[in-house]
């Protein structure tokens, strides 16, 4: 039934686009951004439906890739480190690798399993009787707190929604945003560590001291003793696995480095991915009125990071360097405004996402 419904929506997509474009010709309040959002809405619905059902597969893929790197580390990289380095260096590698692995595993599990936060629904709520900074969700038909947006994949409103992450099969919101960012940071540090550690080993395998036995001899019993043949096959297999892991972590390092930098920049600005877009729209609107926009949740670079990481109420960097389950500041529904905002316009109401 689900497949038939998805196929039907796919076949009706061109007709939906045409009807949408024609309807915009009779809308006097349209602008190019609103037209594009409306035209792309059918495609957005199809994508959201696909992500909702493909989420578990993405989570499984992440677990498989992380497990692949960890297994190769223990089987093919750590033994070489043990043979080539002194005991103090081996101990340092052992401590650093396990510290990264524990943090990666902990923060991924917490980001995956922690609910991002949902608004408290009120029976008989009236959209004409809302708090001054609350809006009305047209999908849930319930009051929507500030910084809350409707997720088209989860079909629910999410507190301080940043985005829906398919690799977590979960929304990134108020209660798991820190876990998501910490996972990205420790995952990036982990792949950088594996890349730096494996680079000299890979160079030694394939350029400095490559195995000299021709590949065809490995499979010819009459030209090579069975024990030697098996040993060479295993050595080649080890070398290939190390090379594969090296290129895998380098690719992840580049992609994840960009993603982590983007989210770190947003944390410094006290904004989510959605708010970055809506704030840019509001900035342009106010500029045409010869006014300027100030993010009402921006308390300054240092305080933004402290609030995001939860380094208040006596917490220290120990809660960042080691796994910690401390909850974020506030309930995600009521927000304090920056003291630098005297008389500055509040952000515009964003469309549902």
């Amino acid at each position: 039934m689900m497949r038939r419904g998805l196929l039907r929506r796919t076949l009706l997509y061109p007709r939906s686009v045409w009807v949408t474009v024609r309807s915009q010709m009779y809308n006097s309040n349209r602008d190019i951004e609103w037209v594009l959002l409306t035209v792309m809405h059918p495609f957005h619905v199809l994508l959201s439906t696909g992500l909702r059902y493909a989420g578990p597969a993405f989570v499984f893929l992440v677990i498989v890739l992380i497990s692949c790197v960890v297994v190769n580390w223990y089987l093919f990289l750590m033994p070489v480190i043990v043979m080539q380095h002194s005991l103090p260096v081996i101990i340092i590698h052992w401590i650093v690798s396990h510290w990264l692995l524990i943090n990666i595993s902990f923060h991924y599990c917490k980001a995956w399993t922690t609910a991002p936060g949902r608004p408290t629904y009120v029976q008989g709520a009236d959209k004409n009787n809302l708090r001054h900074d609350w809006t009305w969700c047209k999908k849930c038909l319930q009051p929507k707190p500030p910084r809350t947006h409707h997720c088209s994949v989860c079909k629910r409103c999410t507190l301080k929604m940043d985005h829906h992450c398919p690799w977590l099969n979960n929304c990134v919101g108020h209660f798991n945003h820190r876990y998501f960012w910490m996972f990205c940071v420790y995952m990036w540090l982990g792949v950088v560590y594996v890349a730096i550690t494996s680079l000299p080993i890979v160079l030694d395998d394939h350029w400095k001291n490559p195995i000299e036995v021709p590949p065809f001899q490995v499979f010819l019993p009459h030209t090579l003793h069975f024990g030697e043949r098996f040993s060479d096959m295993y050595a080649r297999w080890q070398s290939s696995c190390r090379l594969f892991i090296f290129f895998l972590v380098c690719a992840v390092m580049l992609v994840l480095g960009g993603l982590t930098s983007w989210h770190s920049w947003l944390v410094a600005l006290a904004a989510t991915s959605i708010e970055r877009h809506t704030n840019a729209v509001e900035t342009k609107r106010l500029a045409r009125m010869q006014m300027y926009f100030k993010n009402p949740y921006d308390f300054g670079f240092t305080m933004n990071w402290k609030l995001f990481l939860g380094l208040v109420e006596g917490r220290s960097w120990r809660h960042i360097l080691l796994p910690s389950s401390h909850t974020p500041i506030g309930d995600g529904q009521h927000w304090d405004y920056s003291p630098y905002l005297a008389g500055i316009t509040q952000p515009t109401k964003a469309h549902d996402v």
Side-chain angles (χ1 to χ4, degrees):
M1 183 63 69
M2 187 275 293
R3 291 181 179 178
R4 292 177 60 184
L6 184 61
L7 177 62
R8 187 168 183 269
R9 287 194 294 270
T10 304
L11 295 177
L12 290 176
Y13 177 69
R15 177 179 173 83
S16 301
V17 171
W18 171 245
V19 172
T20 302
V21 172
R22 289 296 302 273
S23 68
Q24 294 300 317
M25 297 179 182
Y26 305 96
N27 186 352
S28 61
N29 296 320
R30 68 185 182 273
D31 58 21
I32 185 61
E33 182 180 1
W34 179 251
V35 171
L36 291 176
L37 286 174
T38 307
V39 170
M40 294 302 295
H41 180 70
F43 176 76
H44 180 67
V45 171
L46 294 176
L47 180 62
S48 300
T49 304
L51 287 177
R52 183 161 59 251
Y53 291 101
F58 281 103
V59 173
F60 178 75
L61 180 61
V62 171
I63 295 175
V64 168
L65 291 176
I66 294 177
S67 301
C68 181
V69 175
V70 172
V71 170
N72 276 270
W73 167 263
Y74 280 111
L75 291 181
F76 305 132
L77 292 175
M78 196 62 184
V80 178
I81 294 174
V82 171
M83 290 187 297
Q84 294 181 351
H85 296 88
S86 61
L87 182 60
V89 176
I90 295 173
I91 294 176
I92 292 174
H93 275 287
W94 189 89
I95 293 175
V96 171
S97 60
H98 287 82
W99 169 66
L100 291 171
L101 178 60
I102 291 172
N103 274 292
I104 290 171
S105 303
F106 172 82
H107 288 104
Y108 182 77
C109 290
K110 293 294 288 186
W112 172 28
T113 59
T114 301
R118 314 295 179 193
T120 302
Y121 289 151
V122 180
Q123 293 292 337
D126 184 5
K127 65 179 181 180
N128 297 318
N129 188 22
L130 299 174
R131 291 183 46 171
H132 72 283
D133 55 349
W134 287 45
T135 55
W136 183 260
C137 180
K138 295 179 290 186
K139 306 292 182 61
C140 299
L141 300 180
Q142 286 287 333
K144 189 166 61 172
R147 316 189 78 178
T148 299
H149 297 274
H150 188 89
C151 177
S152 57
V153 179
C154 298
K155 302 294 185 182
R156 292 175 292 185
C157 280
T158 300
L159 299 176
K160 193 195 168 189
M161 179 178 175
D162 187 271
H163 68 286
H164 181 91
C165 181
W167 304 105
L168 297 175
N169 192 28
N170 196 7
C171 276
V172 176
H174 179 63
F175 290 101
N176 67 346
H177 196 177
R178 181 180 68 87
Y179 295 129
F180 166 77
W181 184 82
M182 294 290 290
F183 164 72
C184 291
V185 170
Y186 279 111
M187 188 67 187
W188 184 78
L189 292 175
V191 295
V192 169
Y193 171 72
V194 173
I196 293 175
T197 305
S198 61
L199 177 59
I201 301 175
V202 170
L203 291 176
D204 188 67
D205 283 345
H206 294 272
W207 283 274
K208 294 181 180 179
N209 298 303
I211 300 174
E212 298 297 338
V213 180
F216 67 89
Q217 284 192 1
V218 175
F219 303 98
L220 298 179
H222 63 277
T223 60
L224 200 62
H225 189 269
F226 176 78
E228 296 176 354
R229 186 172 72 254
F230 178 79
S231 176
D232 288 326
M233 289 176 60
Y234 185 67
R236 289 180 178 276
W237 185 55
Q238 280 186 315
S239 178
S240 299
C241 288
R242 286 193 285 260
L243 184 64
F244 168 73
I245 291 300
F246 174 75
F247 283 113
L248 175 63
V249 296
C250 285
V252 174
M253 177 176 62
L254 294 176
V255 176
L256 194 58
L259 178 66
T260 305
S261 300
W262 163 255
H263 283 282
S264 299
W265 182 51
L266 292 178
V267 171
L269 297 177
T272 63
S273 298
I274 298 174
E275 290 171 349
R276 178 59 184 167
H277 170 71
T278 57
N279 291 351
V281 173
E282 183 70 357
T283 299
K284 293 179 181 179
R285 185 184 72 85
L286 292 177
R288 291 193 294 267
M289 302 168 58
Q290 296 183 347
M291 301 173 64
Y292 68 98
F293 172 80
K294 175 69 176 178
N295 182 3
Y297 312 110
D298 186 0
F299 288 83
F301 180 86
T302 303
M303 184 54 66
N304 289 341
W305 277 105
K306 286 185 177 180
L307 292 175
F308 175 77
L309 297 175
L311 297 181
V312 294
E313 300 175 355
R315 299 192 189 102
S316 64
W317 287 100
R318 176 178 61 84
H319 294 83
I320 305 302
L321 298 177
L322 298 176
S324 175
S325 298
H326 65 272
T327 57
I329 307 300
D331 60 359
Q333 300 188 85
H334 304 88
W335 297 91
D336 294 329
Y337 292 123
S338 170
Y340 310 110
L341 277 183
I344 297 179
T345 306
Q346 299 298 324
T348 185
K349 297 177 181 179
H351 298 296
D352 285 338
V353 176

